[in-house]
Amino acid sequence: IVADMPTIDPARLEAKATRIFTAMGAPDGDAAWIAALLVRANLRGHDSHGVIRIPQYWESVKKKEVDPRSPVTVTAETPALVRLDGGGGFGQVVGRRAMEMAIAKAKAGGLSAASTSRTSHVGRLADYAEMAAKAGDSASAERLLRAAVAEQDTHWFTEPPPWYFPVRQSLGAVL
């Protein structure tokens, strides 16, 4: 750890990030959700998916590549499946809606899947597996976390090993 690296209170950082996303035009609840996930990524050691992304997101909104107020619409649905169109909105907002719908469908029918299109960066994949785990859907959580670990294994990291194992740590907690 760098000795002169500032330490910022997570609650203050999340509040500041929320204000930034609100300034981008995101509804209050969406702004708070995105900020919470970015700060959570930093706290879990996945800095590449943390608040470092805010300038990138800001530029994407400025260039009209992301619409912070875009509605998420269902384009196809069955009792077990749902396909969502994110309308070019923030990935975390679209991802949350997809997971909420998938969790509800799994509880109702025992199995589900959700897909999304026209969405931006969804953030740290383990967040969605953790949503499933908190909802009591440990099978989906494990499947999603194993997929996230496999994806993480394809990336080359230059940080020390403890810095890039947050997905494995989440998988271990679920198992």
Side-chain angles (χ1 to χ4, degrees), residues 87-160:
F90 282 117
Q92 291 89 340
V93 175
V94 180
R96 175 182 58 189
R97 174 92 182 275
M99 278 307 299
E100 289 170 347
M101 293 185 78
I103 289 165
K105 288 178 176 298
K107 284 183 176 182
L111 179 68
S112 72
S115 67
T116 63
S117 63
R118 295 190 335 122
T119 184
S120 66
H121 183 254
V122 297
R124 193 178 75 99
L125 296 177
D127 285 317
Y128 305 101
E130 290 170 7
M131 285 177 69
K134 284 179 185 170
D137 187 358
S138 59
S140 290
E142 182 179 346
R143 179 178 43 78
L144 289 163
L145 284 166
R146 287 187 187 282
V149 167
E151 173 66 23
Q152 188 179 48
D153 285 347
T154 67
H155 298 285
W156 176 258
F157 292 94
T158 58
E159 298 93 350

Side-chain angles (χ1 to χ4, degrees), residues 7 10 38 77 79 96 99 125 167 169-170:
T7 301
L38 294 179
E77 187 171 18
R96 175 182 58 189
M99 278 307 299
L125 296 177
V167 174
Q169 292 165 359
S170 297

Side-chain angles (χ1 to χ4, degrees), residues 1-10 12-13 42 51:
I1 297 178
V2 179
D4 61 347
M5 181 68 70
T7 301
I8 301 169
D9 175 66
R12 284 186 50 226
L13 182 58
N42 286 115
V51 295

Side-chain angles (χ1 to χ4, degrees), residues 29-93:
D30 292 349
W33 172 253
I34 299 163
L37 292 187
L38 294 179
V39 172
R40 185 185 305 167
N42 286 115
L43 292 173
R44 302 270 170 84
H46 204 164
D47 292 329
S48 64
H49 286 61
V51 295
I52 195 171
R53 293 275 180 169
I54 292 174
Q56 174 193 0
Y57 291 0
W58 183 273
E59 286 299 314
S60 294
V61 169
K62 194 166 110 181
K63 292 177 183 175
K64 300 197 183 305
E65 297 168 346
V66 172
D67 178 358
R69 293 184 109 33
S70 178
V72 179
T73 57
V74 175
T75 59
E77 187 171 18
T78 70
L81 306 171
V82 65
R83 184 172 55 219
L84 301 171
D85 179 344
F90 282 117
Q92 291 89 340
V93 175

